Amino acid sequence: MPAVPTRVLLVEDDAMISEALSLALADEGFDIDCAATGEDGLELLEQVQVDVVLLDLMLPGIDGLTVCRSIRDQGALPIIVITARADTQDVIAGLEAGADDYVTKPLVAGELAARIRALLRRTAPPPPTRFTIGSLEVRPDEETVRRDGEPVHLTRTEFRLLTELVTAEGQVVTREQLLKRVWEHDYFGDTRLLDVHIRRLRRKVENDPDNPTLILTVRGRGYRTDPDP
């Protein structure tokens, strides 16, 4: 039985970009649904089940950041935001809104396809075991996290990041290692992606995110967990 193609929702208001990208991604083996506005994109998500969303930040009507937050509020559907500018504020705003990754225009279909596949590989089943740090229990095989017995809802990327840290069992995981293992590609020194996700993760698992006791920064190197906070 042939594998079901990955279904992608592309929310892009530029008709030429949308058509060209749809054809190129179709050639890469993806099924593409298109929406020209944020409103149409959100409506489509209520009607069809997709595997990943490609979301332009500059949209008429509801802007991309609002759409991103709305999707994230409803669950952990993978989101890659598309931005025309690579400046810090645009990228960080998209990541803070809940995006897992970002790409900048002009888009290269082959690279984008690789990003999509890498993002979806993060859901591969991890080894059956569990880890406890402080009040946090992480079960990689079940893809669940509990804090004081209550479930913590993480995105797929946040879960993969936390799993990489807890499985190191207190050893330092460098920033470069985390970027390579979680996002599976080289950002050539651009660590904004990691910084924002660490910040988002701390907000969900730490009692005081500004004074973390579970996920610790090792200045100049990376991050580690404290097995006995």
Side-chain angles (χ1 to χ4, degrees):
M1 189 178 199
V4 177
T6 297
R7 192 164 186 174
V8 177
L9 172 59
L10 171 61
V11 186
E12 166 64 66
D13 66 311
D14 187 310
M16 292 183 63
I17 292 177
S18 182
E19 182 178 2
L21 199 55
S22 296
L23 291 171
L25 289 176
D27 286 343
E28 293 279 349
F30 298 102
D31 280 348
I32 311 296
D33 292 287
C34 294
T37 67
E39 292 90 339
D40 289 345
L42 292 173
E43 186 175 336
L44 260 175
L45 285 177
E46 294 179 357
Q47 300 169 7
V48 299
Q49 184 173 348
V50 303
D51 299 296
V52 62
V53 176
L54 300 180
L55 177 64
D56 189 15
L57 288 181
M58 302 296 290
L59 294 170
I62 301 177
D63 64 79
L65 292 178
T66 303
V67 175
C68 188
R69 294 187 192 100
S70 179
I71 295 171
R72 185 55 66 233
D73 287 344
Q74 297 173 42
L77 181 64
I79 303 169
I80 300 176
V81 293
I82 301 169
T83 175
R85 302 188 305 175
D87 65 69
T88 299
Q89 288 309 115
D90 268 15
V91 171
I92 288 180
L95 296 172
E96 285 283 10
D100 297 281
D101 202 350
Y102 72 93
V103 291
T104 55
K105 295 178 180 178
L107 302 171
V108 178
E111 178 188 348
L112 184 53
R115 299 272 190 108
I116 293 170
R117 294 187 181 109
L119 178 54
L120 294 176
R121 277 196 296 271
R122 295 172 204 169
T123 60
T129 187
R130 68 183 63 179
F131 298 86
T132 302
I133 52 171
S135 60
L136 207 65
E137 183 186 58
V138 183
R139 300 187 181 187
D141 55 325
E142 299 176 10
E143 297 191 5
T144 60
V145 179
R146 291 184 176 274
R147 177 179 163 194
D148 295 319
E150 295 297 318
V152 178
H153 300 290
L154 302 180
T155 67
R156 294 176 182 181
T157 302
E158 289 164 354
F159 183 83
R160 179 68 179 271
L161 180 57
L162 179 61
T163 300
E164 289 293 340
L165 290 169
V166 298
T167 54
E169 299 184 298
Q171 298 298 308
V172 176
V173 187
T174 68
R175 300 166 76 86
E176 292 76 15
Q177 287 171 331
L178 287 170
L179 284 167
K180 190 70 175 177
R181 293 174 188 174
V182 176
W183 285 273
E184 299 187 21
H185 54 98
D186 193 346
Y187 279 78
F188 302 103
D190 181 2
T191 58
R192 293 173 295 183
L193 195 64
L194 177 59
D195 294 338
V196 174
H197 277 83
I198 288 287
R199 194 157 61 237
R200 278 169 41 185
L201 184 57
R202 281 173 170 162
R203 285 201 291 260
K204 294 183 179 182
V205 303
E206 297 277 4
N207 289 323
D208 181 359
D210 293 328
N211 296 285
T213 59
L214 302 178
I215 300 174
L216 307 179
T217 301
V218 181
R219 198 168 298 279
R221 295 184 63 194
Y223 298 93
R224 68 176 181 89
T225 58
D226 187 348
D228 188 25

